Amino acid sequence: MILSTKNQGISESLTLSIDAKAKKMLSEGHDVIGFGAGEPDFPTPDFIIQAAKDALDQGLTKYTPSSGTLKLRQAICRKLERDNNIVYTPDEIIVSNGAKHSLFNIFQALLNPGDEVIIPQPYWLSYPEMVKMADGVSVFVNTREDNYFKITAESLKKAITPRTKALVLNNPSNPNGSVYTREELEEIAQAAVDYGFFIISDEIYEELVYDGMQHISIASLDERVKNITLTVNGMSKAYSMTGWRIGYTAGPKEIIKVMGNIQSHSTSNPNSIAQYASAVALEAPKDCISGMVREFDKRRKYMADRINSIPLLSCRLPKGAFYIMMNISQTFGKRYGDKQLDGSLSFADALLDSQKVTVVPGIAFGADNYVRLSYAVSMETIQKGLDRIENFIKELI
Ligand code: PMP
Ligand code: GLU
């Protein structure tokens, strides 16, 4: 049996599989602490759930326009103008089945075989796989921990070739927690304008910024930047709606149209009930978000302090999202029992086996000196999990 050679080269999403493993172990009664989860632990706010019930009562249970209802696309336009200072019309918006699907459609719409996509490293693990699925080539640009894993315009320029088609900018970033300033964005945007490639701006963690940082949408810088940018966002992280599967893209009409055609033959419209509830969510005051952000902020500080107090481990205090990249490189060469630690996979394996704590090995993000911990879990879980990590480190020989 011969399967598609291209698609056999696509790996499973390790973030999803680690999360699934932790959830399964928990349901089987194991005392596991899951730091793998990339999803808020809060329930979806009540008024959004109520809106979904209203949609059902109103019989909104049929196909909608494939690219999303006008009502939701209008609500997204208002949100982008109000929060992000970018003006779009509904025909410049497409709603998809989660931001992951938005990104998939973008790569399908933009890339020809061999087109290069610049991806800052460490990167969210789905980008290179999506580029591969669209016959593109990922070009990784290394970043430095002491620059909070942010690319600079200088390092970006070195990676540009005549085949460069796009840059993926994840701001705030998963897994790094970095947030770009206006000045940094201006320099990056200028390079994209000068060399003529697209910017795919993944802003799914927009609402989760700390220490007074302000999230800036790169498309808001000026009209030239807006014309080459696809802004991606969604309901999953800001509204704790991971299971509802609503994401969206704003960008030039011609690209949105191609994405819409692809979507019309692959998935049709995103769920009608979730679309209705998302429009209600986007039009409402954002109090429900600020409560979550305050809680994430407390956990972030606690987790970073604890990590930095444990010998052989260290981290930067992230400025956004809900992840910490924990530097584990000083543990390499040590052993836990008969297990030799020589990279993020062996570290994560030994930690799970001995302490029942799941983390995501950094190698999945192109950063083997790190493991990623999510603080989208309760404070109590974080405390317990870090106690276990501390014990693990004490037992290394
Ligand atoms: N981009 C990044 C950086 C993410 O971490 C995620 C998390 N799943 C997504 C996009 C996609 O989110 P969703 O498909 O749930 O909207
Ligand atoms: N984005 C989240 C994470 O990185 C959820 C899992 C996924 O979609 O890959 O953990």
Side-chain angles (χ1 to χ4, degrees), residues 98-100 103 124 127 170 174 202 204-205 236-237 245-246 323:
K100 194 179 263 183
L103 290 157
W124 180 47
Y127 300 136
N170 182 206
N174 172 10
D202 180 350
I204 189 90
Y205 295 98
S236 285
K237 315 290 172 171
R245 311 308 304 132
I246 297 290
Y323 306 104

Side-chain angles (χ1 to χ4, degrees), residues 303-320:
M303 189 181 254
D305 281 351
R306 277 294 301 274
I307 289 173
N308 284 318
S309 74
I310 301 175
L312 307 182
L313 301 179
S314 65
C315 70
R316 300 256 143 194
L317 183 63
K319 302 284 182 198

Side-chain angles (χ1 to χ4, degrees), residues 197-262:
F197 54 82
F198 292 104
I199 301 170
I200 302 167
S201 184
D202 180 350
E203 304 183 11
I204 189 90
Y205 295 98
E206 160 189 21
E207 298 287 356
L208 309 181
V209 290
Y210 316 103
D211 294 340
M213 293 289 297
Q214 198 202 343
H215 167 79
I216 292 162
S217 290
I218 198 163
S220 71
L221 293 180
D222 66 42
E223 207 53 27
R224 294 167 319 153
V225 184
K226 184 186 164 206
N227 290 339
I228 54 166
T229 300
L230 292 140
T231 303
V232 175
N233 208 327
M235 307 305 292
S236 285
K237 315 290 172 171
Y239 294 90
S240 200
M241 288 173 68
T242 44
W244 299 61
R245 311 308 304 132
I246 297 290
Y248 54 87
T249 309
K253 228 191 306 219
E254 312 72 51
I255 303 174
I256 296 297
K257 175 92 179 66
V258 177
M259 290 170 65
N261 294 345
I262 296 168

Side-chain angles (χ1 to χ4, degrees), residues 293-351:
V293 177
R294 269 196 303 277
E295 187 55 35
F296 283 137
D297 187 23
K298 273 193 236 150
R299 300 171 184 179
R300 169 186 76 111
K301 289 179 180 145
Y302 174 81
M303 189 181 254
D305 281 351
R306 277 294 301 274
I307 289 173
N308 284 318
S309 74
I310 301 175
L312 307 182
L313 301 179
S314 65
C315 70
R316 300 256 143 194
L317 183 63
K319 302 284 182 198
F322 43 57
Y323 306 104
I324 287 191
M325 283 292 257
M326 182 166 86
N327 191 323
I328 54 163
S329 57
Q330 286 191 66
T331 66
F332 297 166
K334 303 217 171 269
R335 275 187 300 121
Y336 187 92
D338 57 0
K339 287 199 178 88
Q340 178 79 32
L341 301 188
D342 55 6
S344 59
L345 278 172
S346 54
F347 183 98
D349 271 357
L351 185 63

Side-chain angles (χ1 to χ4, degrees), residues 355-373:
Q355 307 286 335
K356 300 224 167 9
V357 173
T358 59
V359 295
V360 184
I363 198 164
F365 310 112
D368 204 23
N369 285 344
Y370 303 86
V371 293
R372 189 193 78 178
L373 274 67

Side-chain angles (χ1 to χ4, degrees), residues 278-300:
S278 298
V280 171
L282 290 176
E283 303 276 24
K286 295 204 281 182
D287 321 356
C288 59
I289 301 180
S290 35
M292 291 193 241
V293 177
R294 269 196 303 277
E295 187 55 35
F296 283 137
D297 187 23
K298 273 193 236 150
R299 300 171 184 179
R300 169 186 76 111

Side-chain angles (χ1 to χ4, degrees), residues 17-33:
S17 62
I18 288 177
D19 186 38
K21 187 172 175 182
K23 282 177 178 159
K24 182 164 178 280
M25 286 173 80
L26 264 177
S27 73
E28 289 166 355
H30 295 285
D31 175 27
V32 68
I33 302 274

